[in-house]
Amino acid sequence: MKITRILAYRVDLPLLEGSYKWSGGKSVSVFDSTVVAVETDAGITGYGEVCPLGPFYLPAYAAGARAGIVELGPHLLGEDPTQLSKLNRRMDAALQGHPYVKSAIDMACWDILGKVTGQPVCVLLGGRYGDDFGLYRAISQEAPEVMASKVSGYRAAGYRRFQLKVGGDPDTDIERIKAVSAQLQPGDRLIADANTGWLMHEALRVVKAVRDIDVYIEQPCRTYEECLTIRQHCDHPFVLDENIDSLDVLLRGHADRAMDVVNIKISKFGGLTKARQARDLCVSLGVAMTIEDSWGGDIVTAAISHLAHSTPSELLFTTTDFNSYVTVSFADGAPRRCHGRMSASTQPGLGVTPKFDVLGKALVEVR
Ligand code: MG
């Protein structure tokens, strides 16, 4: 089987709650997402998606995803999309770095492999664990009382994991953590995600002030070394996210005992192939995971669901359903949250069919 054509579409995803805010005053109200179609000479087409969290979160931006496909795509014509490791080596040889550019293409090729073999992607990724899995809800950065007031509604939707967006003024963040933790019920879990927003002295003040609160601390500072120092000065469960983008740093983090949980985002690693490698390494090492992506709509949510559902339940700390945060649906068959839980499709591939009336005309065509 050979790749004959690659198309990329742009789809805007407005947020249901109006905007999404996190550390350092960063905010997005409409996500610019890229849907990729990989066509083959067998008449089978696979679909993928990549959606950076704005241009100021990871080194990735929406127009860059499409420009990267213009650059990379010609090197992939004639390649076999079902030979995923080989295809990833080809992508790495043709374009250094830029993992987010490769992510949607790799995802689409997993969709093709599933369709060719008649298997859902989660089975191909190792097997389906259990009937479904639990989701977290991110709480956009607002005043402490506003964030606390959101918990009951999210819990009514079934969520039991709450990820607070902190990383702002440390005194306000302390109040945010205290106000939200007061809303928790037995079995709930609270994660305070600073998204690199604190300097070390600020992070040290926050972890000291919330010492008696049952809260996970996620990515307090910008660099790995800063985070490791904070880790060594606190006794909260600790999550690393932005710094964990390769097997090298994952192994280093494990050797340093730098984290209890890692956040694996599909496009941060460069697609399902590499995210699965990281996932499997974490399983072998006994490191729990949050499995997700930077952002996305129906197809990213489907890909997350397959990676999450093929992760041993006890090691899947949590995952997310991005397609419930936005107002636009552009694919049929995407997984939907049910009582705060989700499951991967049982259909071959990712189990999604794009709505081309929503996607419109392709902005990129490589043939
Ligand atoms: Mg995070």
Side-chain angles (χ1 to χ4, degrees), residues 57 136 163 165 193-195 218-219 239-242 263 265 292:
Y57 173 62
Y136 81 80
Q163 190 201 68
K165 289 297 166 190
D193 188 354
N195 288 111
E218 181 161 337
Q219 190 75 36
V239 188
L240 282 181
D241 180 352
E242 282 86 337
N263 185 313
K265 292 182 161 73
E292 58 170 353

PDB file of all heavy atoms in Angstrom, residues 57 136 163 165 193-195 218-219 239-242 263 265 292, ligand 1:
ATOM      1  N   TYR A  57       2.281  27.871  24.028  1.00  0.00           N
ATOM      2  CA  TYR A  57       2.322  26.819  25.050  1.00  0.00           C
ATOM      3  C   TYR A  57       3.536  25.928  24.830  1.00  0.00           C
ATOM      4  O   TYR A  57       4.522  26.012  25.553  1.00  0.00           O
ATOM      5  CB  TYR A  57       1.019  26.020  25.028  1.00  0.00           C
ATOM      6  CG  TYR A  57       1.036  24.813  25.924  1.00  0.00           C
ATOM      7  CD1 TYR A  57       1.195  24.953  27.305  1.00  0.00           C
ATOM      8  CD2 TYR A  57       0.920  23.524  25.412  1.00  0.00           C
ATOM      9  CE1 TYR A  57       1.243  23.844  28.133  1.00  0.00           C
ATOM     10  CE2 TYR A  57       0.952  22.421  26.229  1.00  0.00           C
ATOM     11  CZ  TYR A  57       1.119  22.583  27.592  1.00  0.00           C
ATOM     12  OH  TYR A  57       1.177  21.482  28.396  1.00  0.00           O
ATOM     13  N   TYR A 136     -10.574  13.757  33.462  1.00  0.00           N
ATOM     14  CA  TYR A 136     -10.431  14.934  34.315  1.00  0.00           C
ATOM     15  C   TYR A 136     -11.096  16.124  33.636  1.00  0.00           C
ATOM     16  O   TYR A 136     -11.294  16.144  32.421  1.00  0.00           O
ATOM     17  CB  TYR A 136      -8.961  15.234  34.633  1.00  0.00           C
ATOM     18  CG  TYR A 136      -8.171  15.970  33.570  1.00  0.00           C
ATOM     19  CD1 TYR A 136      -8.293  17.355  33.428  1.00  0.00           C
ATOM     20  CD2 TYR A 136      -7.306  15.299  32.714  1.00  0.00           C
ATOM     21  CE1 TYR A 136      -7.567  18.036  32.460  1.00  0.00           C
ATOM     22  CE2 TYR A 136      -6.574  15.976  31.743  1.00  0.00           C
ATOM     23  CZ  TYR A 136      -6.716  17.345  31.616  1.00  0.00           C
ATOM     24  OH  TYR A 136      -6.016  18.024  30.664  1.00  0.00           O
ATOM     25  N   GLN A 163      -8.545  19.518  37.389  1.00  0.00           N
ATOM     26  CA  GLN A 163      -7.216  20.082  37.159  1.00  0.00           C
ATOM     27  C   GLN A 163      -7.327  21.603  37.133  1.00  0.00           C
ATOM     28  O   GLN A 163      -7.849  22.191  36.185  1.00  0.00           O
ATOM     29  CB  GLN A 163      -6.626  19.567  35.844  1.00  0.00           C
ATOM     30  CG  GLN A 163      -5.156  19.928  35.695  1.00  0.00           C
ATOM     31  CD  GLN A 163      -4.697  19.899  34.248  1.00  0.00           C
ATOM     32  OE1 GLN A 163      -5.108  20.725  33.444  1.00  0.00           O
ATOM     33  NE2 GLN A 163      -3.851  18.934  33.926  1.00  0.00           N
ATOM     34  N   LYS A 165      -6.152  25.335  36.818  1.00  0.00           N
ATOM     35  CA  LYS A 165      -5.125  26.108  36.136  1.00  0.00           C
ATOM     36  C   LYS A 165      -4.623  27.184  37.089  1.00  0.00           C
ATOM     37  O   LYS A 165      -5.353  28.136  37.405  1.00  0.00           O
ATOM     38  CB  LYS A 165      -5.700  26.715  34.846  1.00  0.00           C
ATOM     39  CG  LYS A 165      -5.957  25.650  33.783  1.00  0.00           C
ATOM     40  CD  LYS A 165      -4.667  24.977  33.374  1.00  0.00           C
ATOM     41  CE  LYS A 165      -4.858  23.700  32.585  1.00  0.00           C
ATOM     42  NZ  LYS A 165      -3.594  22.961  32.416  1.00  0.00           N
ATOM     43  N   ASP A 193      -2.172  22.601  38.302  1.00  0.00           N
ATOM     44  CA  ASP A 193      -1.250  22.629  37.167  1.00  0.00           C
ATOM     45  C   ASP A 193      -0.800  24.064  36.915  1.00  0.00           C
ATOM     46  O   ASP A 193      -1.584  24.901  36.462  1.00  0.00           O
ATOM     47  CB  ASP A 193      -1.943  22.053  35.921  1.00  0.00           C
ATOM     48  CG  ASP A 193      -0.984  21.878  34.753  1.00  0.00           C
ATOM     49  OD1 ASP A 193       0.180  22.304  34.876  1.00  0.00           O
ATOM     50  OD2 ASP A 193      -1.416  21.320  33.724  1.00  0.00           O
ATOM     51  N   ALA A 194       0.477  24.318  37.212  1.00  0.00           N
ATOM     52  CA  ALA A 194       1.014  25.682  37.053  1.00  0.00           C
ATOM     53  C   ALA A 194       1.501  25.940  35.632  1.00  0.00           C
ATOM     54  O   ALA A 194       1.861  27.085  35.307  1.00  0.00           O
ATOM     55  CB  ALA A 194       2.141  25.928  38.049  1.00  0.00           C
ATOM     56  N   ASN A 195       1.565  24.907  34.800  1.00  0.00           N
ATOM     57  CA  ASN A 195       1.983  25.106  33.397  1.00  0.00           C
ATOM     58  C   ASN A 195       3.228  25.984  33.279  1.00  0.00           C
ATOM     59  O   ASN A 195       3.237  26.939  32.492  1.00  0.00           O
ATOM     60  CB  ASN A 195       0.829  25.706  32.566  1.00  0.00           C
ATOM     61  CG  ASN A 195      -0.290  24.715  32.310  1.00  0.00           C
ATOM     62  OD1 ASN A 195      -1.392  24.862  32.844  1.00  0.00           O
ATOM     63  ND2 ASN A 195      -0.019  23.683  31.527  1.00  0.00           N
ATOM     64  N   GLU A 218       1.482  19.971  39.453  1.00  0.00           N
ATOM     65  CA  GLU A 218       1.911  19.676  38.080  1.00  0.00           C
ATOM     66  C   GLU A 218       2.744  20.816  37.509  1.00  0.00           C
ATOM     67  O   GLU A 218       2.337  21.976  37.542  1.00  0.00           O
ATOM     68  CB  GLU A 218       0.685  19.410  37.191  1.00  0.00           C
ATOM     69  CG  GLU A 218       1.054  19.073  35.746  1.00  0.00           C
ATOM     70  CD  GLU A 218      -0.054  18.370  34.978  1.00  0.00           C
ATOM     71  OE1 GLU A 218      -0.933  17.747  35.614  1.00  0.00           O
ATOM     72  OE2 GLU A 218      -0.040  18.441  33.730  1.00  0.00           O
ATOM     73  N   GLN A 219       3.889  20.449  36.961  1.00  0.00           N
ATOM     74  CA  GLN A 219       4.815  21.336  36.218  1.00  0.00           C
ATOM     75  C   GLN A 219       4.846  22.754  36.811  1.00  0.00           C
ATOM     76  O   GLN A 219       4.412  23.723  36.165  1.00  0.00           O
ATOM     77  CB  GLN A 219       4.414  21.383  34.744  1.00  0.00           C
ATOM     78  CG  GLN A 219       5.445  22.075  33.847  1.00  0.00           C
ATOM     79  CD  GLN A 219       6.694  21.248  33.541  1.00  0.00           C
ATOM     80  OE1 GLN A 219       6.634  20.045  33.383  1.00  0.00           O
ATOM     81  NE2 GLN A 219       7.846  21.895  33.480  1.00  0.00           N
ATOM     82  N   VAL A 239       3.578  15.815  39.237  1.00  0.00           N
ATOM     83  CA  VAL A 239       3.358  15.505  37.818  1.00  0.00           C
ATOM     84  C   VAL A 239       4.288  16.369  36.971  1.00  0.00           C
ATOM     85  O   VAL A 239       4.374  17.576  37.191  1.00  0.00           O
ATOM     86  CB  VAL A 239       1.891  15.801  37.400  1.00  0.00           C
ATOM     87  CG1 VAL A 239       1.625  15.295  35.978  1.00  0.00           C
ATOM     88  CG2 VAL A 239       0.896  15.200  38.393  1.00  0.00           C
ATOM     89  N   LEU A 240       4.964  15.764  36.015  1.00  0.00           N
ATOM     90  CA  LEU A 240       5.726  16.531  35.022  1.00  0.00           C
ATOM     91  C   LEU A 240       5.011  16.443  33.683  1.00  0.00           C
ATOM     92  O   LEU A 240       4.520  15.380  33.299  1.00  0.00           O
ATOM     93  CB  LEU A 240       7.157  16.001  34.889  1.00  0.00           C
ATOM     94  CG  LEU A 240       8.140  16.418  35.983  1.00  0.00           C
ATOM     95  CD1 LEU A 240       9.523  15.828  35.688  1.00  0.00           C
ATOM     96  CD2 LEU A 240       8.219  17.928  36.152  1.00  0.00           C
ATOM     97  N   ASP A 241       4.968  17.561  32.976  1.00  0.00           N
ATOM     98  CA  ASP A 241       4.257  17.609  31.697  1.00  0.00           C
ATOM     99  C   ASP A 241       5.124  18.243  30.614  1.00  0.00           C
ATOM    100  O   ASP A 241       5.769  17.541  29.816  1.00  0.00           O
ATOM    101  CB  ASP A 241       2.936  18.367  31.885  1.00  0.00           C
ATOM    102  CG  ASP A 241       2.105  18.473  30.616  1.00  0.00           C
ATOM    103  OD1 ASP A 241       2.591  18.100  29.540  1.00  0.00           O
ATOM    104  OD2 ASP A 241       0.945  18.947  30.691  1.00  0.00           O
ATOM    105  N   GLU A 242       5.213  19.567  30.583  1.00  0.00           N
ATOM    106  CA  GLU A 242       5.862  20.266  29.470  1.00  0.00           C
ATOM    107  C   GLU A 242       7.281  19.778  29.206  1.00  0.00           C
ATOM    108  O   GLU A 242       7.718  19.752  28.048  1.00  0.00           O
ATOM    109  CB  GLU A 242       5.860  21.783  29.718  1.00  0.00           C
ATOM    110  CG  GLU A 242       4.522  22.475  29.447  1.00  0.00           C
ATOM    111  CD  GLU A 242       3.564  22.451  30.632  1.00  0.00           C
ATOM    112  OE1 GLU A 242       3.694  21.555  31.517  1.00  0.00           O
ATOM    113  OE2 GLU A 242       2.679  23.324  30.691  1.00  0.00           O
ATOM    114  N   ASN A 263       2.675  13.443  32.143  1.00  0.00           N
ATOM    115  CA  ASN A 263       1.612  13.789  31.209  1.00  0.00           C
ATOM    116  C   ASN A 263       2.127  13.527  29.797  1.00  0.00           C
ATOM    117  O   ASN A 263       3.092  14.142  29.354  1.00  0.00           O
ATOM    118  CB  ASN A 263       1.235  15.266  31.397  1.00  0.00           C
ATOM    119  CG  ASN A 263       0.047  15.665  30.553  1.00  0.00           C
ATOM    120  OD1 ASN A 263      -0.014  15.351  29.362  1.00  0.00           O
ATOM    121  ND2 ASN A 263      -0.907  16.362  31.155  1.00  0.00           N
ATOM    122  N   LYS A 265       1.306  13.807  26.050  1.00  0.00           N
ATOM    123  CA  LYS A 265       0.473  14.447  25.029  1.00  0.00           C
ATOM    124  C   LYS A 265       0.922  13.909  23.672  1.00  0.00           C
ATOM    125  O   LYS A 265       2.115  13.922  23.365  1.00  0.00           O
ATOM    126  CB  LYS A 265       0.642  15.963  25.069  1.00  0.00           C
ATOM    127  CG  LYS A 265       0.067  16.615  26.325  1.00  0.00           C
ATOM    128  CD  LYS A 265       0.222  18.118  26.272  1.00  0.00           C
ATOM    129  CE  LYS A 265      -0.726  18.809  27.241  1.00  0.00           C
ATOM    130  NZ  LYS A 265      -0.340  18.677  28.656  1.00  0.00           N
ATOM    131  N   GLU A 292      -3.175  12.478  26.972  1.00  0.00           N
ATOM    132  CA  GLU A 292      -4.015  13.475  26.304  1.00  0.00           C
ATOM    133  C   GLU A 292      -3.250  14.067  25.121  1.00  0.00           C
ATOM    134  O   GLU A 292      -2.420  13.401  24.519  1.00  0.00           O
ATOM    135  CB  GLU A 292      -4.431  14.546  27.311  1.00  0.00           C
ATOM    136  CG  GLU A 292      -3.247  15.238  27.973  1.00  0.00           C
ATOM    137  CD  GLU A 292      -3.648  16.457  28.788  1.00  0.00           C
ATOM    138  OE1 GLU A 292      -4.820  16.856  28.758  1.00  0.00           O
ATOM    139  OE2 GLU A 292      -2.759  17.042  29.424  1.00  0.00           O
TER     140      GLU A 292
HETATM  141 MG    MG B   1      -0.245  19.981  32.289  1.00  0.00          MG
END
